[in-house]
Structures are given as structure tokens and as C-alpha cells.
Short mmCIF file of all heavy atoms in Angstrom, two decimals:
data_model
loop_
_atom_site.label_atom_id
_atom_site.label_comp_id
_atom_site.label_asym_id
_atom_site.label_seq_id
_atom_site.Cartn_x
_atom_site.Cartn_y
_atom_site.Cartn_z
N MET A 151 1.98 -3.64 3.07
CA MET A 151 1.28 -2.43 2.70
C MET A 151 0.54 -2.69 1.38
O MET A 151 1.07 -3.32 0.47
CB MET A 151 2.30 -1.30 2.52
CG MET A 151 1.73 0.04 2.20
SD MET A 151 3.01 1.29 2.17
CE MET A 151 3.76 1.00 0.56
N SER A 152 -0.66 -2.19 1.32
CA SER A 152 -1.44 -2.36 0.10
C SER A 152 -0.80 -1.58 -1.04
O SER A 152 -0.26 -0.49 -0.84
CB SER A 152 -2.86 -1.84 0.33
OG SER A 152 -3.58 -1.81 -0.88
N ALA A 153 -0.90 -2.12 -2.26
CA ALA A 153 -0.44 -1.41 -3.46
C ALA A 153 -1.61 -0.84 -4.24
O ALA A 153 -1.45 -0.41 -5.38
CB ALA A 153 0.37 -2.35 -4.35
N VAL A 154 -2.78 -0.82 -3.62
CA VAL A 154 -3.98 -0.31 -4.28
C VAL A 154 -4.22 1.13 -3.84
O VAL A 154 -4.43 1.41 -2.65
CB VAL A 154 -5.20 -1.19 -3.96
CG1 VAL A 154 -6.44 -0.63 -4.62
CG2 VAL A 154 -4.95 -2.62 -4.41
N CYS A 155 -4.17 2.03 -4.81
CA CYS A 155 -4.35 3.45 -4.52
C CYS A 155 -5.70 3.69 -3.84
O CYS A 155 -6.73 3.12 -4.23
CB CYS A 155 -4.27 4.23 -5.83
SG CYS A 155 -4.48 6.00 -5.62
N THR A 156 -5.68 4.56 -2.84
CA THR A 156 -6.90 4.85 -2.08
C THR A 156 -7.81 5.85 -2.78
O THR A 156 -8.89 6.14 -2.29
CB THR A 156 -6.54 5.38 -0.69
OG1 THR A 156 -5.69 6.52 -0.83
CG2 THR A 156 -5.85 4.31 0.13
N HIS A 157 -7.39 6.36 -3.94
CA HIS A 157 -8.25 7.29 -4.67
C HIS A 157 -9.32 6.52 -5.45
O HIS A 157 -10.49 6.56 -5.09
CB HIS A 157 -7.40 8.17 -5.61
CG HIS A 157 -8.21 9.13 -6.42
ND1 HIS A 157 -8.12 9.19 -7.79
CD2 HIS A 157 -9.12 10.05 -6.06
CE1 HIS A 157 -8.96 10.12 -8.24
NE2 HIS A 157 -9.57 10.67 -7.21
N GLN A 158 -8.91 5.77 -6.47
CA GLN A 158 -9.89 5.01 -7.26
C GLN A 158 -9.37 3.63 -7.60
O GLN A 158 -9.72 3.06 -8.63
CB GLN A 158 -10.29 5.77 -8.53
CG GLN A 158 -11.12 7.00 -8.23
CD GLN A 158 -11.60 7.73 -9.47
OE1 GLN A 158 -11.33 7.35 -10.60
NE2 GLN A 158 -12.31 8.82 -9.26
N ARG A 159 -8.53 3.08 -6.74
CA ARG A 159 -8.17 1.66 -6.74
C ARG A 159 -7.21 1.22 -7.86
O ARG A 159 -7.16 0.03 -8.17
CB ARG A 159 -9.41 0.77 -6.78
CG ARG A 159 -10.57 1.21 -5.92
CD ARG A 159 -10.34 1.15 -4.44
NE ARG A 159 -10.09 -0.20 -3.97
CZ ARG A 159 -9.57 -0.45 -2.78
NH1 ARG A 159 -9.24 0.53 -1.98
NH2 ARG A 159 -9.36 -1.66 -2.38
N CYS A 160 -6.43 2.09 -8.46
CA CYS A 160 -5.39 1.64 -9.39
C CYS A 160 -4.21 1.10 -8.58
O CYS A 160 -4.10 1.36 -7.39
CB CYS A 160 -4.93 2.80 -10.26
SG CYS A 160 -6.20 3.39 -11.41
N VAL A 161 -3.33 0.36 -9.24
CA VAL A 161 -2.19 -0.24 -8.55
C VAL A 161 -0.99 0.68 -8.64
O VAL A 161 -0.58 1.08 -9.74
CB VAL A 161 -1.87 -1.62 -9.15
CG1 VAL A 161 -0.62 -2.21 -8.50
CG2 VAL A 161 -3.06 -2.56 -8.97
N VAL A 162 -0.41 1.02 -7.50
CA VAL A 162 0.76 1.89 -7.44
C VAL A 162 2.03 1.09 -7.68
O VAL A 162 2.04 -0.13 -7.53
CB VAL A 162 0.84 2.63 -6.09
CG1 VAL A 162 -0.41 3.45 -5.85
CG2 VAL A 162 1.08 1.65 -4.94
N ALA A 163 3.10 1.78 -8.06
CA ALA A 163 4.38 1.12 -8.30
C ALA A 163 5.51 2.00 -7.77
O ALA A 163 5.46 3.23 -7.89
CB ALA A 163 4.59 0.85 -9.78
N LEU A 164 6.53 1.36 -7.19
CA LEU A 164 7.69 2.07 -6.67
C LEU A 164 8.52 2.62 -7.83
O LEU A 164 8.82 1.91 -8.78
CB LEU A 164 8.53 1.13 -5.81
CG LEU A 164 9.73 1.73 -5.10
CD1 LEU A 164 9.30 2.83 -4.12
CD2 LEU A 164 10.51 0.64 -4.35
N GLN A 165 8.89 3.90 -7.73
CA GLN A 165 9.66 4.55 -8.79
C GLN A 165 11.04 4.95 -8.28
O GLN A 165 11.35 4.82 -7.09
CB GLN A 165 8.91 5.79 -9.29
CG GLN A 165 7.53 5.48 -9.83
CD GLN A 165 7.55 4.56 -11.04
OE1 GLN A 165 8.36 4.71 -11.95
NE2 GLN A 165 6.66 3.57 -11.04
N ASP A 166 11.89 5.44 -9.18
CA ASP A 166 13.27 5.78 -8.85
C ASP A 166 13.39 6.84 -7.77
O ASP A 166 14.42 6.93 -7.10
CB ASP A 166 14.02 6.25 -10.10
CG ASP A 166 14.27 5.11 -11.08
OD1 ASP A 166 14.17 3.94 -10.67
OD2 ASP A 166 14.54 5.41 -12.26
N ASP A 167 12.37 7.67 -7.60
CA ASP A 167 12.43 8.70 -6.55
C ASP A 167 12.11 8.15 -5.16
O ASP A 167 12.06 8.89 -4.18
CB ASP A 167 11.50 9.88 -6.89
CG ASP A 167 10.04 9.48 -6.99
OD1 ASP A 167 9.71 8.29 -6.75
OD2 ASP A 167 9.22 10.36 -7.30
N GLY A 168 11.88 6.83 -5.07
CA GLY A 168 11.61 6.21 -3.78
C GLY A 168 10.16 6.33 -3.34
O GLY A 168 9.83 5.96 -2.22
N LEU A 169 9.32 6.83 -4.22
CA LEU A 169 7.90 6.98 -3.91
C LEU A 169 7.08 6.00 -4.74
O LEU A 169 7.50 5.59 -5.83
CB LEU A 169 7.44 8.41 -4.23
CG LEU A 169 8.11 9.53 -3.44
CD1 LEU A 169 7.66 10.89 -3.98
CD2 LEU A 169 7.84 9.42 -1.95
N PHE A 170 5.92 5.64 -4.22
CA PHE A 170 4.97 4.83 -4.97
C PHE A 170 4.06 5.77 -5.75
O PHE A 170 3.40 6.62 -5.16
CB PHE A 170 4.14 3.96 -4.01
CG PHE A 170 4.95 2.88 -3.35
CD1 PHE A 170 5.60 3.10 -2.14
CD2 PHE A 170 5.07 1.63 -3.95
CE1 PHE A 170 6.35 2.10 -1.53
CE2 PHE A 170 5.82 0.62 -3.36
CZ PHE A 170 6.47 0.86 -2.14
N HIS A 171 4.07 5.62 -7.07
CA HIS A 171 3.28 6.48 -7.94
C HIS A 171 2.05 5.72 -8.43
O HIS A 171 2.15 4.55 -8.80
CB HIS A 171 4.08 6.90 -9.18
CG HIS A 171 5.23 7.79 -8.90
ND1 HIS A 171 5.65 8.74 -9.79
CD2 HIS A 171 6.07 7.89 -7.83
CE1 HIS A 171 6.70 9.39 -9.30
NE2 HIS A 171 6.96 8.89 -8.11
N CYS A 172 0.95 6.42 -8.49
CA CYS A 172 -0.26 5.84 -9.08
C CYS A 172 -0.31 6.29 -10.54
O CYS A 172 -0.26 7.50 -10.83
CB CYS A 172 -1.51 6.31 -8.34
SG CYS A 172 -3.00 5.64 -9.07
N PRO A 173 -0.45 5.34 -11.48
CA PRO A 173 -0.44 5.70 -12.90
C PRO A 173 -1.74 6.36 -13.37
O PRO A 173 -1.78 6.92 -14.46
CB PRO A 173 -0.24 4.35 -13.60
CG PRO A 173 -0.87 3.38 -12.68
CD PRO A 173 -0.58 3.90 -11.28
N CYS A 174 -2.78 6.29 -12.58
CA CYS A 174 -4.09 6.76 -13.06
C CYS A 174 -4.27 8.27 -12.94
O CYS A 174 -4.63 8.92 -13.92
CB CYS A 174 -5.20 6.03 -12.31
SG CYS A 174 -5.25 4.28 -12.73
N HIS A 175 -4.03 8.84 -11.79
CA HIS A 175 -4.25 10.28 -11.60
C HIS A 175 -3.08 10.95 -10.90
O HIS A 175 -3.19 12.09 -10.46
CB HIS A 175 -5.55 10.54 -10.83
CG HIS A 175 -6.72 9.78 -11.36
ND1 HIS A 175 -7.22 8.66 -10.75
CD2 HIS A 175 -7.44 9.97 -12.50
CE1 HIS A 175 -8.24 8.18 -11.46
NE2 HIS A 175 -8.37 8.95 -12.53
N GLY A 176 -1.98 10.23 -10.71
CA GLY A 176 -0.75 10.86 -10.23
C GLY A 176 -0.53 10.95 -8.74
O GLY A 176 0.42 11.62 -8.31
N SER A 177 -1.34 10.31 -7.93
CA SER A 177 -1.04 10.33 -6.49
C SER A 177 0.30 9.68 -6.22
O SER A 177 0.74 8.80 -6.96
CB SER A 177 -2.14 9.59 -5.71
OG SER A 177 -3.34 10.31 -5.72
N LYS A 178 0.94 10.15 -5.15
CA LYS A 178 2.23 9.58 -4.75
C LYS A 178 2.17 9.28 -3.26
O LYS A 178 1.59 10.03 -2.48
CB LYS A 178 3.37 10.56 -5.04
CG LYS A 178 3.55 10.84 -6.51
CD LYS A 178 4.63 11.88 -6.75
CE LYS A 178 4.70 12.25 -8.23
NZ LYS A 178 5.63 13.37 -8.47
N PHE A 179 2.84 8.18 -2.88
CA PHE A 179 2.87 7.73 -1.49
C PHE A 179 4.32 7.43 -1.12
O PHE A 179 5.09 6.94 -1.95
CB PHE A 179 2.05 6.45 -1.31
CG PHE A 179 0.62 6.58 -1.76
CD1 PHE A 179 0.29 6.39 -3.10
CD2 PHE A 179 -0.38 6.89 -0.87
CE1 PHE A 179 -1.04 6.50 -3.54
CE2 PHE A 179 -1.70 7.01 -1.29
CZ PHE A 179 -2.03 6.81 -2.62
N ASP A 180 4.68 7.73 0.15
CA ASP A 180 6.05 7.41 0.56
C ASP A 180 6.13 5.92 0.94
O ASP A 180 5.15 5.18 0.84
CB ASP A 180 6.52 8.35 1.68
CG ASP A 180 5.79 8.15 2.99
OD1 ASP A 180 5.10 7.14 3.17
OD2 ASP A 180 5.93 9.05 3.86
N LYS A 181 7.32 5.50 1.39
CA LYS A 181 7.52 4.07 1.69
C LYS A 181 6.73 3.61 2.90
O LYS A 181 6.63 2.41 3.15
CB LYS A 181 9.01 3.77 1.86
CG LYS A 181 9.74 3.80 0.53
CD LYS A 181 11.17 3.32 0.65
CE LYS A 181 11.81 3.28 -0.73
NZ LYS A 181 13.22 2.89 -0.68
N GLU A 182 6.18 4.54 3.66
CA GLU A 182 5.30 4.18 4.78
C GLU A 182 3.84 4.18 4.34
O GLU A 182 2.95 3.93 5.15
CB GLU A 182 5.50 5.17 5.93
CG GLU A 182 6.93 5.21 6.46
CD GLU A 182 7.40 3.86 6.98
OE1 GLU A 182 6.62 3.20 7.67
OE2 GLU A 182 8.55 3.49 6.69
N GLY A 183 3.59 4.52 3.06
CA GLY A 183 2.24 4.55 2.55
C GLY A 183 1.52 5.87 2.76
O GLY A 183 0.34 5.99 2.46
N LYS A 184 2.21 6.86 3.27
CA LYS A 184 1.57 8.15 3.52
C LYS A 184 1.46 8.95 2.22
O LYS A 184 2.38 8.93 1.39
CB LYS A 184 2.37 8.95 4.55
CG LYS A 184 2.52 8.22 5.88
CD LYS A 184 2.48 9.15 7.03
CE LYS A 184 2.53 8.42 8.36
NZ LYS A 184 1.40 7.54 8.59
N VAL A 185 0.33 9.63 2.06
CA VAL A 185 0.10 10.44 0.86
C VAL A 185 1.12 11.57 0.81
O VAL A 185 1.28 12.32 1.77
CB VAL A 185 -1.32 11.02 0.85
CG1 VAL A 185 -1.51 11.96 -0.33
CG2 VAL A 185 -2.35 9.92 0.83
N VAL A 186 1.80 11.68 -0.33
CA VAL A 186 2.73 12.80 -0.59
C VAL A 186 2.07 13.80 -1.53
O VAL A 186 2.18 15.00 -1.35
CB VAL A 186 4.06 12.28 -1.18
CG1 VAL A 186 4.97 13.42 -1.56
CG2 VAL A 186 4.75 11.33 -0.19
N ASP A 187 1.39 13.28 -2.56
CA ASP A 187 0.65 14.11 -3.52
C ASP A 187 -0.69 13.44 -3.82
O ASP A 187 -0.76 12.22 -3.95
CB ASP A 187 1.42 14.23 -4.85
CG ASP A 187 2.51 15.29 -4.79
OD1 ASP A 187 2.32 16.30 -4.11
OD2 ASP A 187 3.55 15.07 -5.45
N GLY A 188 -1.73 14.26 -3.95
CA GLY A 188 -3.07 13.77 -4.27
C GLY A 188 -3.25 13.56 -5.75
O GLY A 188 -2.29 13.66 -6.51
N PRO A 189 -4.46 13.20 -6.12
CA PRO A 189 -5.72 13.45 -5.42
C PRO A 189 -6.06 12.50 -4.26
O PRO A 189 -7.01 12.76 -3.53
CB PRO A 189 -6.77 13.33 -6.53
CG PRO A 189 -6.18 12.38 -7.50
CD PRO A 189 -4.70 12.67 -7.48
N ALA A 190 -5.34 11.41 -4.09
CA ALA A 190 -5.64 10.53 -2.95
C ALA A 190 -5.53 11.33 -1.65
O ALA A 190 -4.65 12.18 -1.51
CB ALA A 190 -4.68 9.34 -2.93
N GLU A 191 -6.43 11.04 -0.73
CA GLU A 191 -6.43 11.73 0.56
C GLU A 191 -6.10 10.78 1.71
O GLU A 191 -5.76 11.23 2.80
CB GLU A 191 -7.79 12.39 0.81
CG GLU A 191 -8.09 13.49 -0.20
CD GLU A 191 -9.44 14.14 0.03
OE1 GLU A 191 -10.24 13.62 0.84
OE2 GLU A 191 -9.69 15.18 -0.60
N GLN A 192 -6.24 9.48 1.45
CA GLN A 192 -5.99 8.50 2.51
C GLN A 192 -4.70 7.73 2.22
O GLN A 192 -4.41 7.38 1.08
CB GLN A 192 -7.15 7.51 2.61
CG GLN A 192 -8.44 8.18 3.07
CD GLN A 192 -9.55 7.16 3.25
OE1 GLN A 192 -9.72 6.25 2.42
NE2 GLN A 192 -10.32 7.31 4.31
N ASP A 193 -3.96 7.44 3.29
CA ASP A 193 -2.74 6.66 3.18
C ASP A 193 -3.05 5.23 2.74
O ASP A 193 -4.17 4.74 2.91
CB ASP A 193 -2.02 6.62 4.53
CG ASP A 193 -1.62 8.01 5.02
OD1 ASP A 193 -1.51 8.93 4.19
OD2 ASP A 193 -1.41 8.15 6.24
N LEU A 194 -2.03 4.53 2.22
CA LEU A 194 -2.17 3.12 1.88
C LEU A 194 -2.25 2.32 3.18
O LEU A 194 -1.45 2.55 4.09
CB LEU A 194 -0.97 2.64 1.05
CG LEU A 194 -0.77 3.35 -0.30
CD1 LEU A 194 0.53 2.87 -0.93
CD2 LEU A 194 -1.94 3.08 -1.24
N PRO A 195 -3.18 1.38 3.27
CA PRO A 195 -3.30 0.60 4.50
C PRO A 195 -2.25 -0.50 4.59
O PRO A 195 -1.76 -1.01 3.58
CB PRO A 195 -4.70 0.01 4.41
CG PRO A 195 -4.98 -0.09 2.95
CD PRO A 195 -4.25 1.07 2.31
N TRP A 196 -1.92 -0.86 5.81
CA TRP A 196 -1.03 -1.98 6.10
C TRP A 196 -1.86 -3.13 6.64
O TRP A 196 -2.87 -2.92 7.31
CB TRP A 196 0.00 -1.57 7.16
CG TRP A 196 1.05 -0.64 6.63
CD1 TRP A 196 0.91 0.67 6.30
CD2 TRP A 196 2.40 -0.97 6.37
NE1 TRP A 196 2.09 1.19 5.85
CE2 TRP A 196 3.03 0.21 5.89
CE3 TRP A 196 3.16 -2.13 6.50
CZ2 TRP A 196 4.37 0.24 5.53
CZ3 TRP A 196 4.50 -2.08 6.15
CH2 TRP A 196 5.09 -0.92 5.67
N PHE A 197 -1.41 -4.35 6.34
CA PHE A 197 -2.13 -5.53 6.80
C PHE A 197 -1.23 -6.41 7.65
O PHE A 197 -0.01 -6.44 7.46
CB PHE A 197 -2.65 -6.34 5.60
CG PHE A 197 -3.59 -5.57 4.73
CD1 PHE A 197 -3.18 -5.11 3.49
CD2 PHE A 197 -4.87 -5.29 5.15
CE1 PHE A 197 -4.04 -4.39 2.68
CE2 PHE A 197 -5.74 -4.56 4.35
CZ PHE A 197 -5.33 -4.11 3.12
N GLU A 198 -1.86 -7.16 8.54
CA GLU A 198 -1.14 -8.13 9.36
C GLU A 198 -0.63 -9.25 8.45
O GLU A 198 -1.37 -9.74 7.60
CB GLU A 198 -2.08 -8.70 10.42
CG GLU A 198 -1.38 -9.46 11.50
CD GLU A 198 -0.59 -8.55 12.42
OE1 GLU A 198 -1.08 -7.46 12.77
OE2 GLU A 198 0.52 -8.94 12.78
N VAL A 199 0.64 -9.63 8.61
CA VAL A 199 1.25 -10.69 7.80
C VAL A 199 1.79 -11.77 8.73
O VAL A 199 2.35 -11.48 9.78
CB VAL A 199 2.41 -10.12 6.94
CG1 VAL A 199 3.13 -11.25 6.21
CG2 VAL A 199 1.87 -9.12 5.94
N GLU A 200 1.59 -13.02 8.32
CA GLU A 200 2.03 -14.16 9.12
C GLU A 200 2.93 -15.04 8.26
O GLU A 200 2.62 -15.28 7.09
CB GLU A 200 0.77 -14.94 9.56
CG GLU A 200 1.04 -16.23 10.22
CD GLU A 200 -0.28 -16.99 10.50
OE1 GLU A 200 -1.38 -16.44 10.25
OE2 GLU A 200 -0.18 -18.13 10.93
N ILE A 201 4.05 -15.50 8.80
CA ILE A 201 4.91 -16.45 8.11
C ILE A 201 4.79 -17.78 8.84
O ILE A 201 5.09 -17.86 10.04
CB ILE A 201 6.37 -15.97 8.06
CG1 ILE A 201 6.45 -14.63 7.32
CG2 ILE A 201 7.26 -17.02 7.38
CD1 ILE A 201 7.81 -13.99 7.34
N THR A 202 4.37 -18.81 8.13
CA THR A 202 4.13 -20.10 8.77
C THR A 202 5.45 -20.86 8.94
O THR A 202 6.48 -20.48 8.38
CB THR A 202 3.16 -20.95 7.92
OG1 THR A 202 3.81 -21.25 6.68
CG2 THR A 202 1.86 -20.20 7.68
N ASP A 203 5.40 -21.94 9.69
CA ASP A 203 6.59 -22.76 9.93
C ASP A 203 7.17 -23.33 8.64
O ASP A 203 8.37 -23.61 8.56
CB ASP A 203 6.27 -23.90 10.90
CG ASP A 203 5.99 -23.37 12.31
OD1 ASP A 203 6.41 -22.22 12.62
OD2 ASP A 203 5.35 -24.10 13.07
N ASP A 204 6.32 -23.51 7.62
CA ASP A 204 6.81 -24.03 6.34
C ASP A 204 7.00 -22.89 5.33
O ASP A 204 6.94 -23.09 4.12
CB ASP A 204 5.89 -25.12 5.79
CG ASP A 204 4.46 -24.63 5.60
OD1 ASP A 204 4.12 -23.52 6.06
OD2 ASP A 204 3.68 -25.38 4.99
N ASP A 205 7.26 -21.70 5.83
CA ASP A 205 7.65 -20.51 5.05
C ASP A 205 6.59 -20.01 4.08
O ASP A 205 6.90 -19.35 3.09
CB ASP A 205 8.96 -20.76 4.28
CG ASP A 205 10.12 -20.96 5.23
OD1 ASP A 205 10.11 -20.34 6.31
OD2 ASP A 205 11.04 -21.72 4.89
N ARG A 206 5.35 -20.28 4.34
CA ARG A 206 4.29 -19.66 3.57
C ARG A 206 3.98 -18.30 4.18
O ARG A 206 4.12 -18.10 5.38
CB ARG A 206 3.02 -20.52 3.57
CG ARG A 206 3.17 -21.80 2.77
CD ARG A 206 1.89 -22.62 2.79
NE ARG A 206 1.56 -22.99 4.17
CZ ARG A 206 0.32 -23.01 4.65
NH1 ARG A 206 -0.70 -22.72 3.88
NH2 ARG A 206 0.10 -23.35 5.91
N VAL A 207 3.62 -17.35 3.33
CA VAL A 207 3.25 -16.02 3.80
C VAL A 207 1.74 -15.88 3.68
O VAL A 207 1.18 -16.08 2.60
CB VAL A 207 3.96 -14.92 2.98
CG1 VAL A 207 3.49 -13.54 3.41
CG2 VAL A 207 5.47 -15.06 3.11
N ILE A 208 1.12 -15.54 4.79
CA ILE A 208 -0.33 -15.33 4.81
C ILE A 208 -0.59 -13.87 5.13
O ILE A 208 -0.11 -13.35 6.14
CB ILE A 208 -1.01 -16.24 5.85
CG1 ILE A 208 -0.73 -17.71 5.51
CG2 ILE A 208 -2.50 -15.94 5.93
CD1 ILE A 208 -1.20 -18.68 6.58
N VAL A 209 -1.32 -13.20 4.24
CA VAL A 209 -1.69 -11.80 4.46
C VAL A 209 -3.13 -11.77 4.93
O VAL A 209 -4.03 -12.24 4.23
CB VAL A 209 -1.53 -10.96 3.16
CG1 VAL A 209 -1.94 -9.53 3.40
CG2 VAL A 209 -0.10 -11.07 2.65
N HIS A 210 -3.35 -11.21 6.09
CA HIS A 210 -4.69 -11.13 6.67
C HIS A 210 -5.31 -9.81 6.21
O HIS A 210 -5.13 -8.77 6.85
CB HIS A 210 -4.60 -11.21 8.19
CG HIS A 210 -4.06 -12.52 8.67
ND1 HIS A 210 -4.86 -13.61 8.85
CD2 HIS A 210 -2.80 -12.90 8.97
CE1 HIS A 210 -4.11 -14.63 9.26
NE2 HIS A 210 -2.85 -14.24 9.35
N LEU A 211 -6.02 -9.87 5.10
CA LEU A 211 -6.54 -8.65 4.47
C LEU A 211 -7.58 -7.93 5.31
O LEU A 211 -7.86 -6.76 5.07
CB LEU A 211 -7.12 -8.98 3.09
CG LEU A 211 -6.08 -9.48 2.07
CD1 LEU A 211 -6.78 -9.86 0.77
CD2 LEU A 211 -5.02 -8.43 1.81
N THR A 212 -8.15 -8.60 6.28
CA THR A 212 -9.15 -7.93 7.11
C THR A 212 -8.53 -7.31 8.36
O THR A 212 -9.21 -6.60 9.08
CB THR A 212 -10.23 -8.94 7.56
OG1 THR A 212 -9.60 -10.02 8.24
CG2 THR A 212 -11.01 -9.45 6.36
N ASP A 213 -7.25 -7.57 8.62
CA ASP A 213 -6.60 -7.06 9.82
C ASP A 213 -5.72 -5.86 9.46
O ASP A 213 -4.52 -5.98 9.28
CB ASP A 213 -5.74 -8.14 10.48
CG ASP A 213 -6.59 -9.31 10.94
OD1 ASP A 213 -7.80 -9.11 11.16
OD2 ASP A 213 -6.04 -10.41 11.09
N ILE A 214 -6.31 -4.69 9.37
CA ILE A 214 -5.56 -3.49 9.05
C ILE A 214 -4.74 -3.07 10.26
O ILE A 214 -5.24 -3.00 11.37
CB ILE A 214 -6.51 -2.36 8.61
CG1 ILE A 214 -7.19 -2.76 7.30
CG2 ILE A 214 -5.76 -1.05 8.44
CD1 ILE A 214 -8.23 -1.77 6.82
N VAL A 215 -3.45 -2.81 10.02
CA VAL A 215 -2.54 -2.39 11.09
C VAL A 215 -2.57 -0.87 11.14
O VAL A 215 -2.36 -0.19 10.14
CB VAL A 215 -1.10 -2.89 10.81
CG1 VAL A 215 -0.15 -2.38 11.86
CG2 VAL A 215 -1.08 -4.40 10.71
N GLU A 216 -2.87 -0.33 12.30
CA GLU A 216 -2.93 1.14 12.46
C GLU A 216 -1.56 1.68 12.78
O GLU A 216 -0.76 1.12 13.42
CB GLU A 216 -3.91 1.50 13.57
CG GLU A 216 -5.33 1.06 13.28
CD GLU A 216 -5.98 1.82 12.13
OE1 GLU A 216 -5.59 2.96 11.87
OE2 GLU A 216 -6.88 1.26 11.50
S1 LIG B 516 -6.57 6.01 -8.70
FE1 LIG B 516 -4.68 6.60 -7.88
S2 LIG B 516 -4.65 8.73 -8.14
FE2 LIG B 516 -6.57 8.14 -8.87
#
């Protein structure tokens, strides 16, 4: 899941209440990335992730998971 807020692109962080808070304007997202409080109106996007045979993690930033 992206950690970039969908409002104006600040980086969100997980807080003690179990929600991801944006430090810029106060949006909050649950652990599924769904908006709990605005001003953000769009959920955080999820991306396709691949783990290679040699344990590298590849995030496919263009493959948004619906
Ligand atoms: S950039 Fe996250 S609430 Fe504005």
C-alpha cells in the first residue's frame, strides 16, 4: 500500500490508534488504506508486489491493485 497521502502527497505514518495519519493536513486512513478522515477523498492505492527466488522484493508501481 502506498504511504503517500492522496490529498497533496505527504507521507503518512502508522500511529498508536492503528490508523495512518498524514502530518500535513490531518487525513487518516485505516490499515486497508481507506479514508477515515479528510481532507483526502481517495483511498491509498495498493501495488502489485513480487518476491523473487533470491528474496528481493519488487514493487510494480504501475500495477495498481483494485
Ligand atoms: S497532504 Fe495529506 S492531508 Fe493533505
Side-chain angles (χ1 to χ4, degrees):
M151 183 174 78
S152 172
V154 178
C155 180
T156 56
H157 178 235
Q158 290 183 0
R159 319 293 297 164
C160 293
V161 176
V162 302
L164 184 61
Q165 301 298 316
D166 290 342
D167 61 3
L169 298 173
F170 291 90
H171 293 212
C172 179
C174 293
H175 312 104
S177 290
K178 296 176 185 173
F179 304 85
D180 68 14
K181 288 187 175 177
E182 301 300 317
K184 301 216 176 297
V185 175
V186 175
D187 279 326
E191 296 179 349
Q192 294 184 318
D193 299 338
L194 299 174
W196 287 72
F197 299 107
E198 193 71 41
V199 174
E200 172 185 355
I201 300 174
T202 65
D203 291 340
D204 58 350
D205 295 328
R206 290 180 299 141
V207 176
I208 300 172
V209 179
H210 296 275
L211 295 176
T212 57
D213 297 337
I214 295 175
V215 176
E216 298 292 334

